[in-house]
């Protein structure tokens, strides 16, 4: 329920990372990307026997993290 005051850290990670990548493209400021990447705490529900429903989410958030790390490496190399 979106009206509940509950923060879902994986959703925040995705939202912040997407916004940071867009900001990076506009301003070349890597600080928001660094903050967004710092939210990542590893694979979603790693080791949990929760069924197959989580695999799509886990893979999406892993891919976003790796793409973000790649963007950070490009910044560090001056690209």
């Amino acid at each position: 329920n979106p009206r509940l005051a509950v923060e879902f850290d994986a959703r925040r990670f995705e939202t912040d990372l997407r916004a940071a990548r867009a900001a990076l493209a506009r301003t070349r400021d890597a600080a928001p990307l660094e903050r967004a990447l710092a939210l990542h705490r590893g694979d979603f529900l790693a080791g949990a026997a929760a069924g197959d429903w989580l695999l799509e989410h886990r893979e999406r958030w892993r891919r976003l993290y790796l793409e973000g790390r790649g963007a950070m490496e490009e910044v560090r190399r001056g690209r």
Side-chain angles (χ1 to χ4, degrees), residues 1-5:
N1 185 342
R3 293 177 295 182
L4 294 176

Side-chain angles (χ1 to χ4, degrees), residues 12-46:
R12 179 176 170 214
F13 164 71
E14 182 172 356
T15 301
D16 288 2
L17 186 68
R18 289 183 189 279
R21 300 259 335 253
L24 181 65
R26 285 189 317 272
T27 67
R28 301 304 293 164
D29 180 10
L33 182 56
E34 287 185 72
R35 287 192 298 273
L37 289 170
L39 296 172
H40 190 266
R41 299 284 184 249
D43 282 340
F44 178 63
L45 295 177

